[in-house]
Amino acid sequence: KEPAYSTIPIIAMTANASDADKRDALLWGMNAHVAKPFDVDKLYATILNVLEHKNYYIHTDALDKFKQKYTKMGCVCGFFVYQVDFEEKIIFADQTTADIFGCTDEKDFLQFVNGTFKTMVHADDIEQVQKAINQQQSSSSANLDLVDYDIIRKDGQIRHLADIGYKVFDGEQLVYFVYIADITDINL
């Protein structure tokens, strides 16, 4: 929050090495996460990647504000993470995201959407969503994007979602941290 300190990269180095620990470190604003005991080559590669992508971290509390705003409006809000390298795939989804898509759990959700973000979005909206994300990401020093799109749930219902996403470097790869809100039943 202090501009003078906001450009200092911070790499979390901890024995807390679960995927949830890594997500939490990034959500708190770290630039990357390295688990102990660490491999020296991996540590150096992480340092180089962080220096190359200094802006790829969560700059503000925009994710929490998004969730608070839509929760106050009575919307259901979920969270997922997907990698954006050569093979785009969802690497985490919470139970609420599965619920929004009419799935029983994360595994059912990942199978339903074939593990990719592109299949989450209604076919009529995918081109517009990709274009909006690319434009916002390229013009934002915060690597933040906001998009709305339709989905088709497992039961065939079409729902309208609002989504906020951050592109971050997690210590190994570039990923998007995304909060979604089912806004179908509200008047904006």
Side-chain angles (χ1 to χ4, degrees), residues 40-168:
V40 173
D41 292 333
K42 185 175 179 180
L43 176 61
Y44 285 134
T46 300
I47 292 169
L48 290 173
N49 275 312
V50 166
L51 293 174
E52 183 179 336
H53 303 288
K54 284 183 189 177
N55 289 327
Y56 285 8
Y57 69 96
I58 297 174
H59 295 244
T60 69
D61 57 354
L63 297 175
D64 288 334
K65 286 180 180 178
F66 174 91
K67 186 176 181 179
Q68 289 169 0
K69 171 186 171 182
Y70 286 109
T71 301
K72 282 182 183 177
M73 297 170 86
C75 299
V76 177
C77 298
F79 172 65
F80 66 93
V81 180
Y82 73 97
Q83 73 181 40
V84 292
D85 291 338
F86 301 109
E87 183 184 322
E88 175 203 295
K89 74 177 187 181
I90 299 170
I91 56 177
F92 171 79
D94 68 1
Q95 181 60 49
T96 309
T97 297
D99 294 343
I100 289 170
F101 279 80
C103 298
T104 55
D105 55 25
E106 178 187 8
K107 185 177 178 181
D108 185 31
F109 164 73
L110 292 174
Q111 187 174 29
F112 174 65
V113 299
N114 198 26
T116 72
F117 176 69
K118 290 177 184 171
T119 57
M120 286 177 55
V121 180
H122 192 290
D124 293 344
D125 289 349
I126 190 67
E127 188 176 317
Q128 167 260 325
V129 168
Q130 287 179 317
K131 185 178 179 180
I133 290 172
N134 290 338
Q135 285 177 338
Q136 290 177 64
Q137 288 286 320
S138 65
S139 66
S140 168
S141 63
N143 298 303
L144 178 70
D145 63 69
L146 293 153
V147 291
D148 290 4
Y149 50 88
D150 287 339
I151 61 161
I152 300 178
R153 288 173 36 106
K154 193 171 182 179
D155 61 9
Q157 280 186 38
I158 295 177
R159 305 294 292 176
H160 192 68
L161 302 185
D163 147 330
I164 184 170
Y166 261 110
K167 184 192 260 182
V168 299

